[in-house]
């Protein structure tokens, strides 16, 4: 397989503005609900939007416990998956006991939307919540944006930390081990650990973890490369080698020992050796001329 230098692969695209807003704990607004007769009498008649804070580790732990399809496979999730995710994201810690009761009572296996005899108390509460916020009026675009708000920037900081390669098996990504690790930030932030779990954006926790890793001497803490571009660049590089063509980095830096011709390139087109030698000589002449200019400047 061809080698592709890291500088020739794009970094993963990041919405830096939204990432900053998540770290600042700025909310996302979706849907709307009324406050009853007093809202209609003393305010305008428009429903108030739900204010959703950037997700914390506690919110993601609950979403994982219910096996949220909205998070795992948004394209194939249904309305109740969305309502569950929205309810947990909105109420946070307040819904923890309800989720525990639902899970321990077999809610994940029992629930069938069309058969109310399978519903548990939390399912009925979710139905009332859906009516209260006029869920039927929430657009597909709003739902897509809400899911993006939950997952797109949340793990950016953690993605900057290189994989240790230890391959430890964890049944839950946001299980006790992760909760304990994130809770250690309580001492650094001088706040109760419950606040870290429920009130500190996971996006910020990830960037703090990346800063800690860099401070502790972990090498390679940086923004990750784009996975799709990695595949593309390796595909293009292999195609060039099979045709006996030069790589862009061989043309740009022919004097770099790491960018020497491969056997595959030479076998595919032996004349590439002369082509590469000519480029190398021209490159070295240009470097010498530039060095002379600097010397006499």
């Amino acid at each position: 397989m061809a080698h592709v230098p890291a500088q020739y692969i794009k970094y993963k695209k990041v919405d830096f503005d939204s990432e900053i807003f998540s770290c600042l704990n700025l909310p996302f607004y979706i849907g709307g609900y009324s406050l009853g007769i007093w809202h209609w009498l003393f305010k305008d008649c428009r429903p108030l939007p739900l204010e959703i804070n950037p997700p914390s580790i506690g919110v993601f732990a609950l979403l994982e416990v219910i096996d949220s399809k909205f998070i795992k496979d948004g394209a194939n999730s249904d309305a109740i998956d969305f309502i569950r995710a929205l309810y947990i994201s909105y109420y946070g810690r307040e819904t923890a006991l309800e989720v525990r009761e639902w899970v321990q009572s077999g809610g994940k296996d029992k629930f069938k939307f069309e058969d109310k005899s399978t519903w548990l108390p939390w399912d009925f509460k979710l139905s009332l919540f859906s009516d209260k916020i006029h869920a039927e009026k929430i657009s597909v675009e709003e739902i897509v944006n809400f899911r993006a708000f939950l997952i797109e920037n949340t793990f950016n900081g953690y993605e900057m930390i290189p994989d240790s390669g230890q391959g430890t098996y964890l049944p839950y990504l946001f299980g006790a081990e992760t909760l304990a690790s994130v809770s250690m930030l309580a001492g650094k932030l001088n706040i109760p650990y419950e606040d870290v779990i429920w009130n500190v954006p996971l996006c910020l926790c990830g960037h703090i973890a990346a800063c800690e890793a860099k401070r502790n001497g972990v090498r390679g803490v940086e923004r990750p490369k784009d996975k799709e571009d990695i595949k593309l660049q390796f595909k293009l590089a292999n195609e060039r080698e099979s045709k006996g063509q030069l790589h862009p980095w061989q043309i740009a830096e022919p004097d770099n020992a790491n960018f020497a011709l491969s056997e595959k390139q030479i076998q595919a087109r032996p004349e590439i050796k002369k082509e590469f030698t000519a480029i190398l000589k021209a490159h070295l002449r240009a470097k010498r001329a530039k060095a002379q200019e600097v010397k006499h400047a």
Side-chain angles (χ1 to χ4, degrees), residues 50 63 66 70 78-91 122-123 125-131 133-136 138 143 146:
L50 288 182
L63 290 171
I66 69 167
F70 183 72
D78 56 25
I80 190 62
D81 294 318
F82 162 64
I83 293 299
R84 286 173 184 153
L86 183 61
Y87 185 90
I88 288 173
S89 301
Y90 181 58
Y91 286 108
W122 191 47
D123 298 312
K125 199 165 186 178
L126 287 170
S127 179
L128 293 174
F129 173 71
S130 178
D131 292 340
I133 64 170
H134 308 292
E136 75 283 355
I138 297 177
I143 294 172
F146 169 61

PDB file of all heavy atoms in Angstrom, residues 50 63 66 70 78-91 122-123 125-131 133-136 138 143 146:
ATOM      1  N   LEU A  50     -38.723  25.270  23.439  1.00  0.00           N
ATOM      2  CA  LEU A  50     -37.966  24.531  24.439  1.00  0.00           C
ATOM      3  C   LEU A  50     -36.508  24.967  24.357  1.00  0.00           C
ATOM      4  O   LEU A  50     -35.951  25.116  23.271  1.00  0.00           O
ATOM      5  CB  LEU A  50     -38.035  23.029  24.173  1.00  0.00           C
ATOM      6  CG  LEU A  50     -39.349  22.307  24.441  1.00  0.00           C
ATOM      7  CD1 LEU A  50     -39.181  20.825  24.148  1.00  0.00           C
ATOM      8  CD2 LEU A  50     -39.794  22.506  25.866  1.00  0.00           C
ATOM      9  N   LEU A  63     -29.222   8.424  27.442  1.00  0.00           N
ATOM     10  CA  LEU A  63     -29.546   8.091  26.055  1.00  0.00           C
ATOM     11  C   LEU A  63     -28.970   6.727  25.675  1.00  0.00           C
ATOM     12  O   LEU A  63     -29.601   5.956  24.940  1.00  0.00           O
ATOM     13  CB  LEU A  63     -29.001   9.173  25.117  1.00  0.00           C
ATOM     14  CG  LEU A  63     -29.701  10.533  25.175  1.00  0.00           C
ATOM     15  CD1 LEU A  63     -28.933  11.568  24.369  1.00  0.00           C
ATOM     16  CD2 LEU A  63     -31.140  10.433  24.678  1.00  0.00           C
ATOM     17  N   ILE A  66     -31.065   3.807  27.333  1.00  0.00           N
ATOM     18  CA  ILE A  66     -32.320   3.472  26.640  1.00  0.00           C
ATOM     19  C   ILE A  66     -32.053   2.979  25.218  1.00  0.00           C
ATOM     20  O   ILE A  66     -32.992   2.697  24.474  1.00  0.00           O
ATOM     21  CB  ILE A  66     -33.308   4.664  26.593  1.00  0.00           C
ATOM     22  CG1 ILE A  66     -32.789   5.774  25.688  1.00  0.00           C
ATOM     23  CG2 ILE A  66     -33.607   5.179  28.004  1.00  0.00           C
ATOM     24  CD1 ILE A  66     -33.824   6.832  25.352  1.00  0.00           C
ATOM     25  N   PHE A  70     -32.343   7.333  18.019  1.00  0.00           N
ATOM     26  CA  PHE A  70     -32.233   8.687  17.485  1.00  0.00           C
ATOM     27  C   PHE A  70     -30.767   9.105  17.414  1.00  0.00           C
ATOM     28  O   PHE A  70     -30.352   9.795  16.481  1.00  0.00           O
ATOM     29  CB  PHE A  70     -33.016   9.659  18.372  1.00  0.00           C
ATOM     30  CG  PHE A  70     -33.033  11.082  17.864  1.00  0.00           C
ATOM     31  CD1 PHE A  70     -33.781  11.419  16.752  1.00  0.00           C
ATOM     32  CD2 PHE A  70     -32.306  12.077  18.501  1.00  0.00           C
ATOM     33  CE1 PHE A  70     -33.797  12.725  16.276  1.00  0.00           C
ATOM     34  CE2 PHE A  70     -32.322  13.382  18.036  1.00  0.00           C
ATOM     35  CZ  PHE A  70     -33.070  13.705  16.924  1.00  0.00           C
ATOM     36  N   ASP A  78     -37.735   6.727  14.722  1.00  0.00           N
ATOM     37  CA  ASP A  78     -39.108   7.182  14.531  1.00  0.00           C
ATOM     38  C   ASP A  78     -39.444   8.302  15.514  1.00  0.00           C
ATOM     39  O   ASP A  78     -38.574   8.776  16.256  1.00  0.00           O
ATOM     40  CB  ASP A  78     -40.094   6.014  14.658  1.00  0.00           C
ATOM     41  CG  ASP A  78     -39.959   5.278  15.987  1.00  0.00           C
ATOM     42  OD1 ASP A  78     -39.485   5.893  16.970  1.00  0.00           O
ATOM     43  OD2 ASP A  78     -40.325   4.085  16.052  1.00  0.00           O
ATOM     44  N   ALA A  79     -40.708   8.699  15.517  1.00  0.00           N
ATOM     45  CA  ALA A  79     -41.134   9.850  16.320  1.00  0.00           C
ATOM     46  C   ALA A  79     -40.890   9.634  17.804  1.00  0.00           C
ATOM     47  O   ALA A  79     -40.445  10.552  18.514  1.00  0.00           O
ATOM     48  CB  ALA A  79     -42.609  10.143  16.063  1.00  0.00           C
ATOM     49  N   ILE A  80     -41.166   8.431  18.319  1.00  0.00           N
ATOM     50  CA  ILE A  80     -40.990   8.189  19.752  1.00  0.00           C
ATOM     51  C   ILE A  80     -39.514   8.225  20.125  1.00  0.00           C
ATOM     52  O   ILE A  80     -39.151   8.646  21.229  1.00  0.00           O
ATOM     53  CB  ILE A  80     -41.643   6.849  20.176  1.00  0.00           C
ATOM     54  CG1 ILE A  80     -41.668   6.728  21.702  1.00  0.00           C
ATOM     55  CG2 ILE A  80     -40.932   5.668  19.546  1.00  0.00           C
ATOM     56  CD1 ILE A  80     -42.470   7.797  22.406  1.00  0.00           C
ATOM     57  N   ASP A  81     -38.624   7.811  19.220  1.00  0.00           N
ATOM     58  CA  ASP A  81     -37.184   7.908  19.483  1.00  0.00           C
ATOM     59  C   ASP A  81     -36.785   9.372  19.651  1.00  0.00           C
ATOM     60  O   ASP A  81     -35.990   9.719  20.539  1.00  0.00           O
ATOM     61  CB  ASP A  81     -36.380   7.293  18.334  1.00  0.00           C
ATOM     62  CG  ASP A  81     -36.577   5.796  18.211  1.00  0.00           C
ATOM     63  OD1 ASP A  81     -36.589   5.118  19.256  1.00  0.00           O
ATOM     64  OD2 ASP A  81     -36.723   5.299  17.075  1.00  0.00           O
ATOM     65  N   PHE A  82     -37.332  10.210  18.792  1.00  0.00           N
ATOM     66  CA  PHE A  82     -37.047  11.648  18.878  1.00  0.00           C
ATOM     67  C   PHE A  82     -37.578  12.229  20.183  1.00  0.00           C
ATOM     68  O   PHE A  82     -36.878  12.980  20.869  1.00  0.00           O
ATOM     69  CB  PHE A  82     -37.662  12.366  17.678  1.00  0.00           C
ATOM     70  CG  PHE A  82     -37.823  13.848  17.857  1.00  0.00           C
ATOM     71  CD1 PHE A  82     -36.721  14.679  18.007  1.00  0.00           C
ATOM     72  CD2 PHE A  82     -39.094  14.416  17.883  1.00  0.00           C
ATOM     73  CE1 PHE A  82     -36.875  16.053  18.185  1.00  0.00           C
ATOM     74  CE2 PHE A  82     -39.259  15.779  18.054  1.00  0.00           C
ATOM     75  CZ  PHE A  82     -38.142  16.602  18.209  1.00  0.00           C
ATOM     76  N   ILE A  83     -38.810  11.877  20.550  1.00  0.00           N
ATOM     77  CA  ILE A  83     -39.412  12.419  21.769  1.00  0.00           C
ATOM     78  C   ILE A  83     -38.624  11.990  23.002  1.00  0.00           C
ATOM     79  O   ILE A  83     -38.394  12.788  23.922  1.00  0.00           O
ATOM     80  CB  ILE A  83     -40.891  11.989  21.887  1.00  0.00           C
ATOM     81  CG1 ILE A  83     -41.724  12.639  20.779  1.00  0.00           C
ATOM     82  CG2 ILE A  83     -41.454  12.356  23.254  1.00  0.00           C
ATOM     83  CD1 ILE A  83     -41.736  14.156  20.818  1.00  0.00           C
ATOM     84  N   ARG A  84     -38.191  10.740  23.048  1.00  0.00           N
ATOM     85  CA  ARG A  84     -37.390  10.278  24.188  1.00  0.00           C
ATOM     86  C   ARG A  84     -36.103  11.081  24.315  1.00  0.00           C
ATOM     87  O   ARG A  84     -35.722  11.523  25.402  1.00  0.00           O
ATOM     88  CB  ARG A  84     -37.066   8.789  24.023  1.00  0.00           C
ATOM     89  CG  ARG A  84     -38.227   7.855  24.281  1.00  0.00           C
ATOM     90  CD  ARG A  84     -37.842   6.427  23.928  1.00  0.00           C
ATOM     91  NE  ARG A  84     -38.966   5.504  24.067  1.00  0.00           N
ATOM     92  CZ  ARG A  84     -39.106   4.378  23.385  1.00  0.00           C
ATOM     93  NH1 ARG A  84     -38.173   4.039  22.480  1.00  0.00           N
ATOM     94  NH2 ARG A  84     -40.150   3.591  23.575  1.00  0.00           N
ATOM     95  N   ALA A  85     -35.409  11.271  23.173  1.00  0.00           N
ATOM     96  CA  ALA A  85     -34.151  12.018  23.192  1.00  0.00           C
ATOM     97  C   ALA A  85     -34.379  13.466  23.593  1.00  0.00           C
ATOM     98  O   ALA A  85     -33.592  14.047  24.359  1.00  0.00           O
ATOM     99  CB  ALA A  85     -33.473  11.940  21.825  1.00  0.00           C
ATOM    100  N   LEU A  86     -35.456  14.054  23.087  1.00  0.00           N
ATOM    101  CA  LEU A  86     -35.762  15.447  23.412  1.00  0.00           C
ATOM    102  C   LEU A  86     -36.115  15.593  24.885  1.00  0.00           C
ATOM    103  O   LEU A  86     -35.649  16.524  25.564  1.00  0.00           O
ATOM    104  CB  LEU A  86     -36.920  15.937  22.540  1.00  0.00           C
ATOM    105  CG  LEU A  86     -37.326  17.409  22.695  1.00  0.00           C
ATOM    106  CD1 LEU A  86     -36.170  18.324  22.339  1.00  0.00           C
ATOM    107  CD2 LEU A  86     -38.542  17.725  21.825  1.00  0.00           C
ATOM    108  N   TYR A  87     -36.914  14.669  25.417  1.00  0.00           N
ATOM    109  CA  TYR A  87     -37.330  14.708  26.820  1.00  0.00           C
ATOM    110  C   TYR A  87     -36.114  14.606  27.742  1.00  0.00           C
ATOM    111  O   TYR A  87     -35.964  15.388  28.694  1.00  0.00           O
ATOM    112  CB  TYR A  87     -38.295  13.554  27.078  1.00  0.00           C
ATOM    113  CG  TYR A  87     -38.906  13.524  28.461  1.00  0.00           C
ATOM    114  CD1 TYR A  87     -40.109  14.175  28.728  1.00  0.00           C
ATOM    115  CD2 TYR A  87     -38.299  12.828  29.502  1.00  0.00           C
ATOM    116  CE1 TYR A  87     -40.686  14.141  29.993  1.00  0.00           C
ATOM    117  CE2 TYR A  87     -38.863  12.785  30.769  1.00  0.00           C
ATOM    118  CZ  TYR A  87     -40.062  13.443  31.015  1.00  0.00           C
ATOM    119  OH  TYR A  87     -40.622  13.397  32.269  1.00  0.00           O
ATOM    120  N   ILE A  88     -35.237  13.641  27.473  1.00  0.00           N
ATOM    121  CA  ILE A  88     -34.045  13.458  28.304  1.00  0.00           C
ATOM    122  C   ILE A  88     -33.126  14.672  28.198  1.00  0.00           C
ATOM    123  O   ILE A  88     -32.579  15.140  29.209  1.00  0.00           O
ATOM    124  CB  ILE A  88     -33.302  12.174  27.895  1.00  0.00           C
ATOM    125  CG1 ILE A  88     -34.093  10.943  28.344  1.00  0.00           C
ATOM    126  CG2 ILE A  88     -31.891  12.132  28.494  1.00  0.00           C
ATOM    127  CD1 ILE A  88     -33.530   9.623  27.852  1.00  0.00           C
ATOM    128  N   SER A  89     -32.969  15.203  26.992  1.00  0.00           N
ATOM    129  CA  SER A  89     -32.098  16.364  26.802  1.00  0.00           C
ATOM    130  C   SER A  89     -32.659  17.599  27.507  1.00  0.00           C
ATOM    131  O   SER A  89     -31.892  18.428  28.013  1.00  0.00           O
ATOM    132  CB  SER A  89     -31.929  16.659  25.311  1.00  0.00           C
ATOM    133  OG  SER A  89     -31.371  15.553  24.637  1.00  0.00           O
ATOM    134  N   TYR A  90     -33.980  17.711  27.545  1.00  0.00           N
ATOM    135  CA  TYR A  90     -34.618  18.886  28.164  1.00  0.00           C
ATOM    136  C   TYR A  90     -34.625  18.792  29.688  1.00  0.00           C
ATOM    137  O   TYR A  90     -34.247  19.743  30.378  1.00  0.00           O
ATOM    138  CB  TYR A  90     -36.049  19.014  27.636  1.00  0.00           C
ATOM    139  CG  TYR A  90     -36.804  20.202  28.186  1.00  0.00           C
ATOM    140  CD1 TYR A  90     -36.326  21.498  28.023  1.00  0.00           C
ATOM    141  CD2 TYR A  90     -38.017  20.031  28.856  1.00  0.00           C
ATOM    142  CE1 TYR A  90     -37.025  22.594  28.521  1.00  0.00           C
ATOM    143  CE2 TYR A  90     -38.719  21.111  29.358  1.00  0.00           C
ATOM    144  CZ  TYR A  90     -38.218  22.393  29.185  1.00  0.00           C
ATOM    145  OH  TYR A  90     -38.902  23.469  29.684  1.00  0.00           O
ATOM    146  N   TYR A  91     -35.022  17.637  30.216  1.00  0.00           N
ATOM    147  CA  TYR A  91     -35.152  17.507  31.668  1.00  0.00           C
ATOM    148  C   TYR A  91     -33.879  17.026  32.363  1.00  0.00           C
ATOM    149  O   TYR A  91     -33.719  17.230  33.566  1.00  0.00           O
ATOM    150  CB  TYR A  91     -36.307  16.561  31.999  1.00  0.00           C
ATOM    151  CG  TYR A  91     -37.663  17.173  31.764  1.00  0.00           C
ATOM    152  CD1 TYR A  91     -38.453  16.768  30.696  1.00  0.00           C
ATOM    153  CD2 TYR A  91     -38.150  18.171  32.600  1.00  0.00           C
ATOM    154  CE1 TYR A  91     -39.699  17.328  30.465  1.00  0.00           C
ATOM    155  CE2 TYR A  91     -39.394  18.746  32.372  1.00  0.00           C
ATOM    156  CZ  TYR A  91     -40.166  18.326  31.313  1.00  0.00           C
ATOM    157  OH  TYR A  91     -41.405  18.883  31.086  1.00  0.00           O
ATOM    158  N   TRP A 122     -43.610   5.911  32.082  1.00  0.00           N
ATOM    159  CA  TRP A 122     -42.804   6.902  31.362  1.00  0.00           C
ATOM    160  C   TRP A 122     -43.300   7.083  29.930  1.00  0.00           C
ATOM    161  O   TRP A 122     -43.260   8.189  29.395  1.00  0.00           O
ATOM    162  CB  TRP A 122     -41.332   6.499  31.353  1.00  0.00           C
ATOM    163  CG  TRP A 122     -40.413   7.588  30.874  1.00  0.00           C
ATOM    164  CD1 TRP A 122     -40.420   8.897  31.256  1.00  0.00           C
ATOM    165  CD2 TRP A 122     -39.361   7.469  29.910  1.00  0.00           C
ATOM    166  NE1 TRP A 122     -39.428   9.606  30.604  1.00  0.00           N
ATOM    167  CE2 TRP A 122     -38.758   8.749  29.777  1.00  0.00           C
ATOM    168  CE3 TRP A 122     -38.855   6.406  29.168  1.00  0.00           C
ATOM    169  CZ2 TRP A 122     -37.681   8.986  28.909  1.00  0.00           C
ATOM    170  CZ3 TRP A 122     -37.779   6.643  28.315  1.00  0.00           C
ATOM    171  CH2 TRP A 122     -37.204   7.911  28.189  1.00  0.00           C
ATOM    172  N   ASP A 123     -43.811   6.021  29.313  1.00  0.00           N
ATOM    173  CA  ASP A 123     -44.332   6.127  27.952  1.00  0.00           C
ATOM    174  C   ASP A 123     -45.537   7.062  27.890  1.00  0.00           C
ATOM    175  O   ASP A 123     -45.670   7.864  26.958  1.00  0.00           O
ATOM    176  CB  ASP A 123     -44.722   4.736  27.427  1.00  0.00           C
ATOM    177  CG  ASP A 123     -43.538   3.783  27.355  1.00  0.00           C
ATOM    178  OD1 ASP A 123     -42.491   4.194  26.828  1.00  0.00           O
ATOM    179  OD2 ASP A 123     -43.667   2.645  27.834  1.00  0.00           O
ATOM    180  N   LYS A 125     -46.107   9.455  30.023  1.00  0.00           N
ATOM    181  CA  LYS A 125     -45.596  10.797  30.300  1.00  0.00           C
ATOM    182  C   LYS A 125     -44.975  11.413  29.041  1.00  0.00           C
ATOM    183  O   LYS A 125     -45.125  12.617  28.779  1.00  0.00           O
ATOM    184  CB  LYS A 125     -44.556  10.729  31.419  1.00  0.00           C
ATOM    185  CG  LYS A 125     -44.297  12.058  32.089  1.00  0.00           C
ATOM    186  CD  LYS A 125     -43.555  11.867  33.407  1.00  0.00           C
ATOM    187  CE  LYS A 125     -43.421  13.187  34.148  1.00  0.00           C
ATOM    188  NZ  LYS A 125     -42.751  13.030  35.455  1.00  0.00           N
ATOM    189  N   LEU A 126     -44.318  10.583  28.255  1.00  0.00           N
ATOM    190  CA  LEU A 126     -43.738  11.061  27.002  1.00  0.00           C
ATOM    191  C   LEU A 126     -44.829  11.500  26.023  1.00  0.00           C
ATOM    192  O   LEU A 126     -44.672  12.480  25.288  1.00  0.00           O
ATOM    193  CB  LEU A 126     -42.890   9.959  26.357  1.00  0.00           C
ATOM    194  CG  LEU A 126     -41.552   9.642  27.016  1.00  0.00           C
ATOM    195  CD1 LEU A 126     -40.952   8.372  26.424  1.00  0.00           C
ATOM    196  CD2 LEU A 126     -40.577  10.795  26.867  1.00  0.00           C
ATOM    197  N   SER A 127     -45.954  10.780  26.031  1.00  0.00           N
ATOM    198  CA  SER A 127     -47.068  11.134  25.158  1.00  0.00           C
ATOM    199  C   SER A 127     -47.631  12.505  25.540  1.00  0.00           C
ATOM    200  O   SER A 127     -47.914  13.337  24.670  1.00  0.00           O
ATOM    201  CB  SER A 127     -48.161  10.070  25.251  1.00  0.00           C
ATOM    202  OG  SER A 127     -49.257  10.402  24.436  1.00  0.00           O
ATOM    203  N   LEU A 128     -47.771  12.745  26.829  1.00  0.00           N
ATOM    204  CA  LEU A 128     -48.247  14.052  27.308  1.00  0.00           C
ATOM    205  C   LEU A 128     -47.250  15.155  26.964  1.00  0.00           C
ATOM    206  O   LEU A 128     -47.637  16.263  26.577  1.00  0.00           O
ATOM    207  CB  LEU A 128     -48.467  14.002  28.820  1.00  0.00           C
ATOM    208  CG  LEU A 128     -49.611  13.108  29.303  1.00  0.00           C
ATOM    209  CD1 LEU A 128     -49.628  13.046  30.835  1.00  0.00           C
ATOM    210  CD2 LEU A 128     -50.952  13.622  28.785  1.00  0.00           C
ATOM    211  N   PHE A 129     -45.985  14.850  27.103  1.00  0.00           N
ATOM    212  CA  PHE A 129     -44.924  15.811  26.772  1.00  0.00           C
ATOM    213  C   PHE A 129     -44.985  16.165  25.286  1.00  0.00           C
ATOM    214  O   PHE A 129     -44.875  17.333  24.904  1.00  0.00           O
ATOM    215  CB  PHE A 129     -43.565  15.199  27.121  1.00  0.00           C
ATOM    216  CG  PHE A 129     -42.380  16.010  26.677  1.00  0.00           C
ATOM    217  CD1 PHE A 129     -42.051  17.207  27.300  1.00  0.00           C
ATOM    218  CD2 PHE A 129     -41.562  15.557  25.631  1.00  0.00           C
ATOM    219  CE1 PHE A 129     -40.940  17.943  26.895  1.00  0.00           C
ATOM    220  CE2 PHE A 129     -40.455  16.284  25.225  1.00  0.00           C
ATOM    221  CZ  PHE A 129     -40.141  17.481  25.861  1.00  0.00           C
ATOM    222  N   SER A 130     -45.213  15.149  24.449  1.00  0.00           N
ATOM    223  CA  SER A 130     -45.310  15.368  23.008  1.00  0.00           C
ATOM    224  C   SER A 130     -46.459  16.309  22.672  1.00  0.00           C
ATOM    225  O   SER A 130     -46.333  17.210  21.835  1.00  0.00           O
ATOM    226  CB  SER A 130     -45.499  14.026  22.296  1.00  0.00           C
ATOM    227  OG  SER A 130     -45.636  14.205  20.907  1.00  0.00           O
ATOM    228  N   ASP A 131     -47.590  16.114  23.344  1.00  0.00           N
ATOM    229  CA  ASP A 131     -48.745  16.995  23.117  1.00  0.00           C
ATOM    230  C   ASP A 131     -48.458  18.413  23.604  1.00  0.00           C
ATOM    231  O   ASP A 131     -48.816  19.393  22.940  1.00  0.00           O
ATOM    232  CB  ASP A 131     -49.976  16.444  23.852  1.00  0.00           C
ATOM    233  CG  ASP A 131     -50.484  15.144  23.250  1.00  0.00           C
ATOM    234  OD1 ASP A 131     -50.146  14.863  22.081  1.00  0.00           O
ATOM    235  OD2 ASP A 131     -51.195  14.404  23.962  1.00  0.00           O
ATOM    236  N   ILE A 133     -45.683  20.063  23.798  1.00  0.00           N
ATOM    237  CA  ILE A 133     -44.750  20.847  22.989  1.00  0.00           C
ATOM    238  C   ILE A 133     -45.179  20.925  21.520  1.00  0.00           C
ATOM    239  O   ILE A 133     -44.436  21.427  20.678  1.00  0.00           O
ATOM    240  CB  ILE A 133     -43.326  20.253  23.058  1.00  0.00           C
ATOM    241  CG1 ILE A 133     -43.287  18.845  22.450  1.00  0.00           C
ATOM    242  CG2 ILE A 133     -42.808  20.241  24.488  1.00  0.00           C
ATOM    243  CD1 ILE A 133     -41.894  18.297  22.266  1.00  0.00           C
ATOM    244  N   HIS A 134     -46.390  20.395  21.216  1.00  0.00           N
ATOM    245  CA  HIS A 134     -46.892  20.409  19.836  1.00  0.00           C
ATOM    246  C   HIS A 134     -45.888  19.746  18.896  1.00  0.00           C
ATOM    247  O   HIS A 134     -45.493  20.319  17.868  1.00  0.00           O
ATOM    248  CB  HIS A 134     -47.169  21.844  19.377  1.00  0.00           C
ATOM    249  CG  HIS A 134     -48.037  22.626  20.320  1.00  0.00           C
ATOM    250  ND1 HIS A 134     -49.363  22.327  20.525  1.00  0.00           N
ATOM    251  CD2 HIS A 134     -47.753  23.673  21.142  1.00  0.00           C
ATOM    252  CE1 HIS A 134     -49.866  23.178  21.421  1.00  0.00           C
ATOM    253  NE2 HIS A 134     -48.915  23.992  21.815  1.00  0.00           N
ATOM    254  N   ALA A 135     -45.484  18.524  19.272  1.00  0.00           N
ATOM    255  CA  ALA A 135     -44.445  17.821  18.514  1.00  0.00           C
ATOM    256  C   ALA A 135     -44.810  17.641  17.045  1.00  0.00           C
ATOM    257  O   ALA A 135     -43.932  17.600  16.179  1.00  0.00           O
ATOM    258  CB  ALA A 135     -44.171  16.459  19.150  1.00  0.00           C
ATOM    259  N   GLU A 136     -46.109  17.547  16.766  1.00  0.00           N
ATOM    260  CA  GLU A 136     -46.532  17.339  15.377  1.00  0.00           C
ATOM    261  C   GLU A 136     -46.195  18.543  14.493  1.00  0.00           C
ATOM    262  O   GLU A 136     -46.164  18.428  13.264  1.00  0.00           O
ATOM    263  CB  GLU A 136     -48.031  17.035  15.322  1.00  0.00           C
ATOM    264  CG  GLU A 136     -48.955  18.221  15.532  1.00  0.00           C
ATOM    265  CD  GLU A 136     -49.092  18.660  16.997  1.00  0.00           C
ATOM    266  OE1 GLU A 136     -48.535  17.959  17.864  1.00  0.00           O
ATOM    267  OE2 GLU A 136     -49.763  19.680  17.257  1.00  0.00           O
ATOM    268  N   ILE A 138     -43.306  20.273  14.834  1.00  0.00           N
ATOM    269  CA  ILE A 138     -41.854  20.412  14.713  1.00  0.00           C
ATOM    270  C   ILE A 138     -41.422  19.868  13.357  1.00  0.00           C
ATOM    271  O   ILE A 138     -41.738  18.741  13.001  1.00  0.00           O
ATOM    272  CB  ILE A 138     -41.132  19.663  15.851  1.00  0.00           C
ATOM    273  CG1 ILE A 138     -41.509  20.281  17.205  1.00  0.00           C
ATOM    274  CG2 ILE A 138     -39.616  19.721  15.666  1.00  0.00           C
ATOM    275  CD1 ILE A 138     -40.912  19.559  18.408  1.00  0.00           C
ATOM    276  N   ILE A 143     -35.695  18.823  13.601  1.00  0.00           N
ATOM    277  CA  ILE A 143     -35.277  17.550  14.198  1.00  0.00           C
ATOM    278  C   ILE A 143     -33.849  17.220  13.788  1.00  0.00           C
ATOM    279  O   ILE A 143     -33.026  16.797  14.618  1.00  0.00           O
ATOM    280  CB  ILE A 143     -36.241  16.422  13.788  1.00  0.00           C
ATOM    281  CG1 ILE A 143     -37.627  16.676  14.381  1.00  0.00           C
ATOM    282  CG2 ILE A 143     -35.719  15.064  14.237  1.00  0.00           C
ATOM    283  CD1 ILE A 143     -38.704  15.725  13.889  1.00  0.00           C
ATOM    284  N   PHE A 146     -31.532  19.472  15.626  1.00  0.00           N
ATOM    285  CA  PHE A 146     -31.441  19.076  17.037  1.00  0.00           C
ATOM    286  C   PHE A 146     -30.464  17.914  17.195  1.00  0.00           C
ATOM    287  O   PHE A 146     -29.627  17.919  18.097  1.00  0.00           O
ATOM    288  CB  PHE A 146     -32.828  18.689  17.558  1.00  0.00           C
ATOM    289  CG  PHE A 146     -32.813  18.025  18.901  1.00  0.00           C
ATOM    290  CD1 PHE A 146     -32.309  18.680  20.022  1.00  0.00           C
ATOM    291  CD2 PHE A 146     -33.304  16.737  19.056  1.00  0.00           C
ATOM    292  CE1 PHE A 146     -32.290  18.070  21.266  1.00  0.00           C
ATOM    293  CE2 PHE A 146     -33.299  16.116  20.292  1.00  0.00           C
ATOM    294  CZ  PHE A 146     -32.786  16.784  21.403  1.00  0.00           C
TER     295      PHE A 146
END
